[in-house]
Amino acid sequence: MRRQRNVKIVATLGPASSTYEMIRALFEAGADVFRLNMSHGSHDEQKKRYDIIRKIEKDVGRPIGVLADLQGPKLRVGAFRNGSEELAEGAAFRFDLDPKEGDATRVCLPHKEIFAALTPGSSLLVNDGKIRLKVEKCGPDFADCTVTIGGTISNRKGVNVPDVVLPLAALSEKDRGDLEFACQLGVDWLALSFVQRPEDVLEARELAKGRAAILSKIEKPAAVNAFAGILAVSDGIMVARGDLGVELPVHSVPPIQKRLVRTARAAAKPVIVATQMLESMIESPMPTRAEVSDVATAIYEGADAVMLSAESAAGSYPVEAVTTMDNVAKSVERDPTYREVIEASRRVARSTVADGIVAAAREIAEATNISAICCFSQSGTTASLVARERPSVPIIALTPIERTARRLCLTWGVHCVFSDEIIDRFKMAVVNAAKAAREYGFATERDQIVVTAGVPFNVPGTTNILRVAPCDERLIFRTDPE
């Protein structure tokens, strides 16, 4: 099956999407990568979903990416004697380490790390930011606050601390167990929650030991401030607008999204735009016009992927949600303005031979009658560099490594194909590329393709050859030297 679009779709699996029939339907509707949310469901449930994905992959003959999303540490208040209390604006309220049940004046906040980081003037947000408090006085085991936005506070509601870097690791004990489980399962990507600094990513990378690529979720102001360092040590990025919109003023999120997407694109690292993209489709078969516009904006910005969360995991219309995203993407990418926007936002600092090769491949493809750019890639780096150029022709990535093909399912415009390992003859690489272009409907025998590869073969990071070739193998053998 060949996708008729470049942006990829990530669909979260859950109670509404756990059978072979439903997951297959989501794939056929347009999902390229499936997300396993480790915040919900047991390891046995996640393994069943993973096994179904791999069976579908075998049945359809096309690589499918799997992303395991780690929960991250959850900061929550304790319990209240009455279950809940009303906090009025201007009222005094204390958080402390006392495990006693709370009342209208105080509650336990069982996270000493928060108290260690707070200073007078810091903000505390409760229940997704619906309640806001300002710290007046604090110590190692308490924080006396003034309620700035009131509301109902109830048992074990989540707490956000937006304006300080918390001395907390991004990986809880649960996350460490989930990470090892996911790596043994064979997932392609690990999404890391609660990232605040590059060291958080490095810790996850050390535990993963190369078994999965690391994708950092940008959901905290500290991560936005440290983004350059986080991006440098990550394999990919997720712009998690939901949590960002809690900890930052909501009007600041769109420009942050645009900036993060462009920066990740320039680094040739895939970037997902996520959270509340088609939220109303959890309960409605039709999205709102604003949601459609939101998805379209992310695509116009050049995001590698857009993601569905509860819409496909727990909603009433999972297939319709994927279909809607697929239709929006196709519509945007057919718009002539889309190419204008993509080309105007292409800002790449080229400094290597590989950078020059892929830039030349795009320019040749766009200036002449070329049907596709075919690249041989061991690690996926070459395909990612070609995708960074955002060419107007399809990208076919040929690799003998199953893991590479699956990881590239998240990368813009890349159609992944399993290929036999090329030992020594570039001519056979060209022949294989021509076969793939024809077999998957990207070209006919009358067409030409651009082929990029590296010599010596099968060595990551050696892209140094560019060849314009016919798709007719007879012409390849007739014109190419041994």
Side-chain angles (χ1 to χ4, degrees), residues 123-158:
S123 297
L124 284 167
L125 315 179
V126 183
N127 193 13
D128 291 333
K130 296 181 177 67
I131 299 172
R132 294 177 176 250
L133 305 98
K134 179 182 177 184
V135 176
E136 304 292 349
K137 184 180 178 183
C138 55
D141 58 357
F142 77 96
D144 288 330
C145 305
T146 300
V147 179
T148 57
I149 298 179
T152 304
I153 186 171
S154 56
N155 295 342
R156 297 178 182 84
K157 286 299 182 184

Side-chain angles (χ1 to χ4, degrees), residues 12 22 28 90 95 125 133 164 181 184 190 205 212 216 220 227 308 350 387 395 444 450 458 475:
T12 303
M22 177 56 77
E28 291 178 350
F95 295 95
L125 315 179
L133 305 98
V164 298
F181 163 76
Q184 289 186 13
L190 286 168
R205 186 176 293 285
S216 295
K220 299 186 71 60
F227 183 66
L308 294 166
R350 301 183 180 95
I395 305 166
T444 68
V450 170
N458 308 317
L475 295 177

Side-chain angles (χ1 to χ4, degrees), residues 21-92:
E21 292 74 20
M22 177 56 77
I23 298 173
R24 175 75 181 256
L26 294 177
F27 172 80
E28 291 178 350
D32 302 284
V33 176
F34 289 106
R35 172 178 174 252
L36 305 178
N37 186 355
M38 305 309 290
S39 299
H40 305 287
S42 67
H43 284 184
D44 284 344
E45 290 171 324
Q46 301 293 17
K47 184 180 186 305
K48 287 176 184 175
R49 291 172 185 138
Y50 179 86
D51 290 342
I52 290 171
I53 294 166
R54 292 300 173 226
K55 185 176 188 315
I56 293 170
E57 179 183 69
K58 183 177 180 181
D59 291 346
V60 300
R62 173 176 169 163
I64 300 175
V66 180
L67 181 153
D69 195 330
L70 303 178
Q71 176 177 291
K74 290 299 177 185
L75 309 177
R76 300 183 185 280
V77 300
F80 288 85
R81 186 180 307 120
N82 299 322
S84 65
E85 295 287 351
E86 288 295 321
L87 299 187
E89 183 177 335

Side-chain angles (χ1 to χ4, degrees), residues 338-406:
Y338 172 72
R339 287 308 313 173
E340 294 175 10
V341 173
I342 289 296
E343 288 165 15
S345 61
R346 185 189 293 124
R347 297 182 300 175
V348 180
R350 301 183 180 95
S351 58
T352 67
V353 171
D355 290 338
I357 291 285
V358 299
R362 175 186 58 78
E363 292 183 4
I364 292 169
E366 293 178 351
T368 58
N369 190 24
I370 296 294
S371 295
I373 297 173
C374 300
C375 52
F376 288 84
S377 194
Q378 287 285 114
S379 64
T381 300
T382 301
S384 297
L385 290 175
V386 175
R388 178 178 67 180
E389 295 289 328
R390 298 295 192 260
S392 59
V393 300
I395 305 166
I396 305 174
L398 298 100
T399 180
I401 301 175
E402 191 173 60
R403 181 175 64 187
T404 297
R406 289 169 172 168

Side-chain angles (χ1 to χ4, degrees), residues 269-290:
K269 295 184 178 181
V271 54
I272 305 171
V273 175
T275 326
Q276 300 174 329
M277 300 213 80
L278 295 174
E279 186 89 350
S280 69
M281 291 194 74
I282 295 172
E283 298 177 348
S284 168
M286 290 291 291
T288 67
R289 306 301 183 269

Side-chain angles (χ1 to χ4, degrees), residues 70 170-171 175-176 179-180 183 190-193 195 198-216 233:
L70 303 178
L171 295 170
D175 295 323
R176 289 170 176 270
L179 184 151
E180 184 58 30
C183 286
L190 286 168
L192 186 61
S193 301
V195 174
E199 291 77 12
D200 295 330
V201 187
L202 293 172
E203 180 186 7
R205 186 176 293 285
E206 184 177 339
L207 292 171
K209 297 182 174 66
R211 292 172 292 174
I214 306 297
L215 185 141
S216 295
V233 296

Side-chain angles (χ1 to χ4, degrees), residues 423 454-460 462 464:
I423 304 302
V455 175
F457 287 110
N458 308 317
V459 178
T462 58
N464 54 18

